[in-house]
Amino acid sequence: MRPQAMRRLVILTEGQFGPHSGKTAFGVLRYGRDDVIAVLDSTLAGRSTSEWIPGSEVQIVGTLAEALEMPGRPRPDTLLIGIAPTGGRLPDEWRPILHAAIDAGLELHSGLHTFLGDDPELSAAAAIAGVHIIDHRRPPERFETAVGRRHGPGKRVILTVGTDCAIGKMSVALELRNAARAAGDTAAFVPTGQTGMMIDGWGVSVDRVISDFLNGTVEWLVEEGERLGDWVIVEGQGSLDHAAYSAVTLGLIHGATPHAMVLVHKAGLAAHDFDHLPERSFPIAPLRPFIELHERIAGMVAPSRVVAVAVNTSLIRDDGEARRAIAEIAAETGLPAEDPVRFGAGPLWGQVKAAVDALPWVGGER
């Protein structure tokens, strides 16, 4: 549960480096504590991650051998799987790379639903080489339902929720945590997904937890978060109206019993990320009623309020147009709105903090 030692990483994305399928790589590059030595992707060899992530200057290489002998850089000790595909399966064509990494003495870190540690060939090779395989999505041996735990005195719990999956709930939580710390507040980020765990070094990937124990696991995670800071910012997952991922969202809301929520919305996105039924489309919900729905559902267990909208403006190239879209969302919802990744989270954190402290149910145990 506690943050682990820093690693020296090679991030494997072969053919899938991008903000969607490669969101694990993007998250670790943007927010991670570990030293990233190289990204391994032969389709982009010779380029730099700075083309996609400003401020990130990591070389993309075509072979593992190149990653192991980067000029002027220490030798990596870990190969991290940098993709988060639907279904979380390991591409078969990657197996030779994983075997080569093990033979070179590298640990394997994976957030896939396919547990590499359960693979007979990979686990046998790792045992011979004396290296570890870490499956971040492997759930804890903990089988407890929620007990209605009250938050500690002086603690403030905020959950990020969203109008779709894979639109930045983790990024918003991390940006708010970082802004809180910059403002002098003691704040903790609670990772609830594999990428967040790779970034912060602890947590539980709650989408692998048995449903009866989901709320209880989230309740326990929030308790751990309260040991790390007074402001506890919980990473959200999925969305309440997503055809595939609504269950984990509900478990997070009722397990975390947040004092407040921040809604994450991707401007310009018309329909959910769900392409399994080509003849059907699942539109993004109107914001105001969707906000009210979250508050009603949360209130079935404990009162909570959506206090701000974090807007993902990545579909809008021009900064001026992006700011206009944010202003329209603020006017539509009557809430503070900002893109904390693009324009900074400092002002939004100040508004969120003030709004949370003003809530009538904040100020003691609950």
Side-chain angles (χ1 to χ4, degrees):
M1 289 296 299
R2 287 289 175 252
Q4 303 299 305
M6 291 180 62
R7 312 298 301 175
R8 299 185 301 277
L9 306 178
V10 176
I11 301 179
L12 175 60
T13 64
E14 185 60 31
Q16 299 190 49
F17 185 80
H20 190 71
S21 60
K23 70 175 186 177
T24 294
F26 270 54
V28 172
L29 285 164
R30 183 176 279 131
Y31 299 110
R33 307 174 307 127
D34 296 310
D35 184 11
V36 181
I37 306 302
V39 170
L40 176 51
D41 192 324
S42 65
T43 67
L44 300 171
R47 299 170 71 175
S48 168
T49 58
S50 61
E51 295 182 38
W52 293 266
I53 306 170
S56 172
E57 296 287 349
V58 176
Q59 186 74 24
I60 304 176
V61 299
T63 68
L64 180 61
E66 292 176 81
L68 293 173
E69 302 295 339
M70 292 291 292
R73 301 288 281 131
R75 193 177 192 275
D77 57 23
T78 302
L79 181 78
L80 184 145
I81 306 297
I83 62 170
T86 300
R89 296 178 180 86
L90 175 71
D92 287 338
E93 60 273 20
W94 287 18
R95 294 181 68 84
I97 301 174
L98 303 190
H99 277 284
I102 291 172
D103 291 343
L106 273 62
E107 291 191 351
L108 300 185
H109 285 217
S110 170
L112 301 174
H113 278 297
T114 301
F115 289 160
L116 303 186
D118 292 346
D119 183 284
E121 293 182 358
L122 292 172
S123 60
I128 292 170
V131 299
H132 295 100
I133 297 176
I134 308 298
D135 289 301
H136 287 270
R137 258 193 169 120
R138 194 181 294 277
E141 293 294 324
R142 186 181 189 281
F143 306 105
E144 297 182 26
T145 60
V147 297
R149 174 189 171 271
R150 294 178 178 273
H151 298 308
K155 304 299 181 179
R156 309 286 189 266
V157 179
I158 301 168
L159 171 67
T160 57
V161 294
T163 57
D164 196 16
C165 63
I167 58 172
K169 292 178 287 295
M170 180 196 75
S171 296
V172 168
L174 285 163
E175 293 285 354
L176 290 174
R177 189 274 304 270
N178 294 346
R181 289 180 173 178
D185 300 308
T186 59
F189 166 70
V190 176
T192 64
Q194 73 280 3
T195 304
M197 293 172 67
M198 292 173 178
I199 290 168
D200 230 46
W202 74 288
V204 173
S205 187
V206 296
D207 62 5
R208 285 289 298 201
V209 174
I210 295 170
S211 60
D212 267 4
F213 310 121
L214 173 56
N215 295 23
T217 298
V218 174
E219 187 178 63
W220 171 55
L221 282 169
V222 170
E223 181 178 11
E224 292 297 314
E226 290 182 12
R227 301 180 197 277
L228 301 175
D230 293 331
W231 291 89
V232 180
I233 304 172
V234 184
E235 175 191 6
Q237 303 289 335
S239 68
L240 271 178
D241 63 340
H242 196 287
Y245 306 123
S246 57
V248 69
T249 310
L250 182 60
L252 278 160
I253 292 172
H254 284 171
T257 56
H259 296 98
M261 296 172 279
V262 172
L263 181 71
V264 183
H265 173 66
K266 190 170 186 176
L269 187 66
H272 281 299
D273 179 13
F274 189 82
D275 56 5
H276 302 286
L277 296 174
E279 73 280 6
R280 288 197 61 186
S281 176
F282 296 89
I284 299 298
L287 294 182
R288 190 65 250 176
F290 202 50
I291 287 168
E292 294 167 356
L293 177 65
H294 279 79
E295 294 172 348
R296 290 201 306 274
I297 286 176
M300 297 171 70
V301 173
S304 186
R305 185 170 297 163
V306 175
V307 295
V309 181
V311 186
N312 177 339
T313 61
S314 61
L315 295 178
I316 305 171
R317 290 185 175 274
D318 180 73
D319 282 357
E321 289 295 330
R323 290 202 176 277
R324 278 188 284 275
I326 293 167
E328 289 172 1
I329 288 168
E332 176 185 355
T333 61
L335 294 172
E338 184 57 280
D339 184 335
V341 175
R342 186 171 189 168
F343 298 122
L348 186 64
W349 170 248
Q351 293 170 305
V352 167
K353 181 180 176 181
V356 172
D357 278 335
L359 293 172
W361 49 84
V362 169
E365 296 185 2
R366 52 173 288 187

